Amino acid sequence: MKKRIALIPGDGIGPEIVDGAVKVLDALCDKFNHEFEYITVDAGGVAIDKYGEPLPKESLEKCLGSDSILLGAVGGKKWDTLPANLRPERALLALRKELNLFANIRPAVLKKQLNSASPLKNSVIGDGLDIVVVRELTGGIYFGDRKRESETAYDTERYSVAEIKRIAKVAFETARLRKRHVTSVDKANILASSQLWRDVVSDLHKDYPDVELNHMYVDNAAMQLVTRPSQFDVIVTSNMFGDILSDLSSAIAGSIGMLPSASLGDNTRGMYEPIHGSAPDIAGMDIANPIATIVSAAMMLEMSFGMTKEAKAINNAIDAVLDAGYRTADIYSEGTTKTGTVKMANLIAKEILK
Ligand code: IPM
Ligand code: MN
């Protein structure tokens, strides 16, 4: 059956990078004889400008009626002065919550072609970097009680056993397909929610004797990531800690412009997006790196549609284009060929059709 993909270009560089991913998906359809139906959805700043709210009901409904969602990025300076509940970012949080996308999968891989793009010394990088951050996405301090008053303000970190269990399960299952090692990151020396987190993860671990588990405090995890990144395989952590550690991991992997993410719930509908933001300063200049969005599309094919060989074809095409020396500005180094957004996507699409 024809899969229906909701496209949310969003703001800033969002439309350019989503266009790039669609070009690659189109090539893939030619190659493998698939057909996708695309519906474009307004969310984020564009939706605020058009309809006065970041995620209009109609946009949410279009997403609910799709098989999967590919998102560019939302946000920008223009909307920064709006109150929190009207900002473009609200669209993301609402989509995550409404679609029950509790598991955010953020792989951070340093490709061999980009070794020199990592800020870490070669001696620290060692055998390279290949980790997956599994971030809880619909709970914790992002969604807890909060209040701002004139002299005080508070936010609440709250987790239930069920919420911790389901995300830990995703981490253990992910580890089974990799190096069978999970590091659970918390702040159990201080936070009650982290103490519960640690107990629940340890308890569930009994069902996964083939997977190794260790616990780490988040401050130490940040330090370990930049001093000995090769010790990690799968990191599982709360919404807030996962937000922070995934940015850190992406920087180690050379460029935030390379890294994809998948947000999944308990059915096959997922939301796929690059982990970077809308980069309004370079919007419309044809210099943004479309690779993170293209890899996100590959994750969608694999994780939502079960199209493993198609996803592989995309990743192989990206490798071939990088091997041939093409680089967008964020990953450019001497001796390589500087390439714009459109050209990079075209090269990858062409490679697929070879
Ligand atoms: C991310 C982003 C979002 C988050 C923002 C834009 C709400 O930083 O997806 O990591 O904090 O989750
Ligand atoms: Mn983030």
Side-chain angles (χ1 to χ4, degrees):
M1 239 182 38
K2 191 152 86 173
K3 298 287 184 197
R4 181 183 293 174
I5 302 174
L7 299 174
I8 307 184
D11 310 313
I13 57 171
E16 299 165 67
I17 55 181
V18 168
D19 276 356
V22 170
K23 210 171 289 164
V24 170
L25 286 173
D26 285 345
L28 201 92
C29 284
D30 284 355
K31 172 95 173 184
F32 291 91
N33 236 331
H34 292 308
E35 208 182 328
F36 297 133
E37 178 189 345
Y38 300 111
I39 41 172
T40 304
V41 176
D42 287 323
V46 276
I48 295 175
D49 289 351
K50 272 198 200 168
Y51 313 101
E53 48 180 328
L55 186 69
K57 197 159 159 266
E58 192 195 315
S59 296
L60 175 62
E61 270 160 14
K62 280 185 181 170
C63 291
L64 285 166
S66 72
D67 294 306
S68 220
I69 302 156
L70 184 67
L71 182 140
V74 297
K77 282 199 191 63
K78 185 174 167 193
W79 305 282
D80 270 357
T81 50
L82 291 171
N85 62 337
L86 284 176
R87 289 171 60 116
E89 289 84 351
R90 218 5 79 176
L92 265 185
L93 297 190
L95 279 167
R96 290 171 183 172
K97 197 70 176 177
E98 295 291 333
L99 301 171
N100 193 27
L101 304 173
F102 61 86
N104 186 216
I105 315 285
R106 298 189 160 182
V109 180
L110 175 61
K111 287 184 174 288
K112 62 175 191 329
Q113 300 97 329
L114 300 183
N115 244 334
S116 60
S118 174
L120 296 187
K121 284 189 276 210
N122 273 336
S123 58
V124 174
I125 282 289
D127 299 336
L129 176 83
D130 182 357
I131 63 183
V132 176
V133 177
V134 176
R135 168 189 178 194
E136 199 291 325
L137 202 61
T138 50
I141 202 164
Y142 271 60
F143 292 95
D145 261 9
R146 73 177 100 243
K147 190 160 191 177
R148 164 105 191 243
E149 290 165 333
S150 63
E151 297 301 313
T152 57
Y154 65 83
D155 299 274
T156 317
E157 173 89 347
R158 187 190 189 105
Y159 271 113
S160 69
V161 170
E163 283 174 314
I164 301 168
K165 215 171 175 169
R166 67 181 180 179
I167 192 70
K169 182 165 186 273
V170 172
F172 286 124
E173 300 284 346
T174 304
R176 271 195 173 153
L177 304 173
R178 300 172 44 93
K179 288 180 254 161
R180 295 178 182 261
H181 186 271
V182 170
T183 303
S184 175
V185 172
D186 62 38
K187 190 73 185 171
N189 48 348
I190 303 290
L191 304 177
S193 52
S194 281
Q195 286 151 14
L196 180 69
W197 181 281
R198 200 173 269 225
D199 288 348
V200 173
V201 174
S202 296
D203 202 40
L204 186 69
H205 180 225
K206 293 184 190 127
D207 295 347
Y208 295 89
D210 52 317
V211 178
E212 208 184 312
L213 168 71
N214 69 327
H215 299 278
M216 207 179 266
Y217 298 139
V218 63
D219 47 349
N220 184 30
M223 181 177 74
Q224 296 292 332
L225 269 167
V226 294
T227 50
R228 217 159 58 76
S230 58
Q231 72 185 284
F232 296 101
D233 178 24
V234 175
I235 292 177
V236 62
T237 190
S238 64
N239 204 339
M240 173 86 129
F241 295 159
D243 181 43
I244 299 166
L245 292 183
S246 60
D247 265 36
L248 180 56
S249 324
S250 74
I252 302 173
S255 168
I256 200 165
M258 296 293 296
L259 298 190
S261 76
S263 301
L264 304 168
D266 40 26
N267 57 33
T268 57
R269 190 199 302 112
M271 182 159 80
Y272 299 82
E273 57 180 308
I275 82 158
H276 61 71
S278 61
D281 49 321
I282 59 163
M285 293 167 67
D286 191 39
I287 56 176
N289 187 347
I291 294 181
T293 314
I294 294 170
V295 187
S296 300
M299 284 183 92
M300 173 175 77
L301 298 182
E302 180 163 358
M303 303 179 99
S304 282
F305 304 158
M307 297 178 175
T308 312
K309 62 176 189 306
E310 291 84 341
K312 211 168 164 54
I314 294 184
N315 288 314
N316 288 344
I318 293 170
D319 278 335
V321 170
L322 291 174
D323 282 340
Y326 295 103
R327 302 281 188 276
T328 43
D330 56 316
I331 49 174
Y332 174 78
S333 59
E334 227 179 85
T336 61
T337 311
K338 205 180 264 183
T339 308
T341 313
V342 172
K343 174 141 186 237
M344 181 56 96
N346 281 340
L347 285 165
I348 295 167
K350 236 170 54 204
E351 188 64 39
I352 286 174
L353 292 172
K354 261 188 192 165

